[in-house]
Amino acid sequence: TPSTSGNSLSYSGLQASAGNRINLTSTGTEDINKVFIPTGTTAYMSFLLNVQNTTGLTTTGAYFTGFGGTSGAVVSIYFPRIFIKSGATPGTFQVGILNTSGGVITPSFVSTEYPTGTTLFIVAKTNSTAVGGVINSSLWVNPIPGAAEPAALATNSAGTSPWPANGVQSVILRQ
């Protein structure tokens, strides 16, 4: 439903969602992951995001989803991680991306401040030229469904961890 109640969010141009929604809060402590193993050295994820309020958001941000290089009880490699932080304007937020870990790592944020209560279509891409190569990550907010891949609104190639031999192994969610 397009409202904040019901099973799923919707976005114009996308097929109706078939799954249920999740609710992450600033007071939760659960971290989960779902096995997901694409082939090759490129992976995409997309989801609909509707931030209800800015409670618990900080000015530096924190990640809430991404790909894991492992799965199960312990996930130790994350790439990319999707971040959220409070915007400079009250009642707004920004989304960002961080590609991997190791070395000096700082997420890259989309400059737009989005108002709460609005459903956004988020698309993230992670890729490398080869196993053991540098990881690059890209982020789009509200790209046109079905159109050619546009220039990313934010990119990140910080971090020194290389593309792992097993590649992407899971999708992670973090409260």
Side-chain angles (χ1 to χ4, degrees), residues 103-127:
V104 177
I105 53 173
T106 303
S108 302
F109 284 90
V110 174
S111 61
T112 302
E113 295 181 341
Y114 298 98
T116 58
T118 303
T119 300
L120 303 176
F121 176 37
I122 307 291
V123 178
K125 174 185 177 181
T126 189
N127 70 314

Side-chain angles (χ1 to χ4, degrees), residues 7-70:
N7 290 345
S8 56
L9 299 173
S10 64
Y11 186 83
S12 180
L14 293 179
Q15 181 177 341
S17 296
N20 291 318
R21 65 176 70 191
I22 60 168
N23 183 32
L24 299 176
T25 65
S26 63
T27 58
T29 59
E30 186 175 17
D31 291 345
I32 61 172
N33 66 83
K34 177 73 174 162
V35 174
F36 171 73
I37 306 173
T39 58
T41 55
T42 299
Y44 289 86
M45 75 161 42
S46 66
F47 57 92
L48 299 177
L49 174 68
N50 189 306
V51 176
Q52 294 299 297
N53 59 60
T54 58
T55 302
L57 297 183
T58 66
T59 57
T60 55
Y63 70 94
F64 63 95
T65 191
F67 286 133
T70 57

